[in-house]
Amino acid sequence: MPLSPTAAAELAARCARPGDALVRVDLIEPVPRAYRPGSIRRAGGAPIGVDEQTRPRWHDGYMAHLITVDLDDVPHLRAVADLAGVRALALFISSAADNEAFQAGTPQTALVRLTDADLAKGEWTGPAVDDPPARAYRLHPLDVPARAFYDVFDPTFDEDAVAPDLDDLHDLLMSADRIGGPVLHWSGDTYTTDFLWQFSEAVVDVNLGDAGTMYVHAATAYWNCH
């Protein structure tokens, strides 16, 4: 069972040492209700800020909306990639129920950069799309020691030298629904460029295989599973 945001904060505090470099992440907490009308922060449901000309397409239809992140909620993301002038990021997928978006560079996902002018267009008014059910989510900022983002695949890594609490924090950051921080691939995947956030089916109803995680980067989004 995932740690609560409070327990995660307590774990991070136990791991912190004087002089540690801290990395800001935001834990994503799914909320069992739909987002409020007009909300920028949203998972599933109809997208905001796109029209029939700008919504990504797949074959003869439109891609499904997965999640939109308001960068005013997480301004630290603007330092990751060239997001000047971008207010929000909206992720789309070829099909929430049946997709093969499991490799970096897949054409089956699209990350749309939205400006304030885009968002002023409001909710999607085009044809009906099989978007996942609308869900809200909360964000919980958390400052964690950069030491927790160690690479277990580094040949010089010494597992025995890692304190138990730091090991637990590393595992949390690997599996948590979160925004920000370096990516931690359990599989040894080598794609790490401009990582933005990651999420599971707990956040939005999308087929990510067996206990999969969607990794969102500035240039691509794809999932890995067990």
Side-chain angles (χ1 to χ4, degrees), residues 96-164:
D98 183 17
N99 67 82
E100 296 182 351
F102 40 70
Q103 289 185 325
T106 177
Q108 294 198 33
T109 60
L111 187 66
V112 177
R113 291 156 167 78
L114 300 170
T115 65
D116 283 320
D118 293 323
L119 294 169
K121 299 174 184 176
E123 307 275 344
W124 170 254
T125 58
V129 180
D130 192 15
D131 294 311
R135 294 180 183 171
Y137 63 89
R138 299 188 185 99
L139 296 177
H140 300 273
L142 181 68
D143 290 320
V144 300
R147 294 179 294 110
F149 293 95
Y150 53 79
D151 179 6
V152 298
F153 298 98
D154 184 332
T156 65
F157 172 67
D158 182 2
E159 183 177 6
D160 294 332
V162 178

Side-chain angles (χ1 to χ4, degrees), residues 57-136:
R57 299 184 67 97
W58 179 251
H59 293 166
D60 58 351
Y62 290 102
M63 286 187 171
H65 168 247
L66 292 185
I67 187 170
T68 298
V69 172
D70 185 345
L71 295 188
D72 280 2
D73 290 338
V74 286
H76 53 92
L77 276 196
R78 290 194 171 99
V80 175
D82 182 14
L83 298 174
V86 178
R87 171 62 189 274
L89 296 168
L91 180 65
F92 296 82
I93 196 166
S94 56
S95 167
D98 183 17
N99 67 82
E100 296 182 351
F102 40 70
Q103 289 185 325
T106 177
Q108 294 198 33
T109 60
L111 187 66
V112 177
R113 291 156 167 78
L114 300 170
T115 65
D116 283 320
D118 293 323
L119 294 169
K121 299 174 184 176
E123 307 275 344
W124 170 254
T125 58
V129 180
D130 192 15
D131 294 311
R135 294 180 183 171

Side-chain angles (χ1 to χ4, degrees), residues 79-82 111 113 181 191-197 216-220:
V80 175
D82 182 14
L111 187 66
R113 291 156 167 78
Y191 192 93
T192 60
T193 306
D194 293 340
F195 173 71
L196 299 172
W197 73 86
V216 184
H217 299 255
T220 188

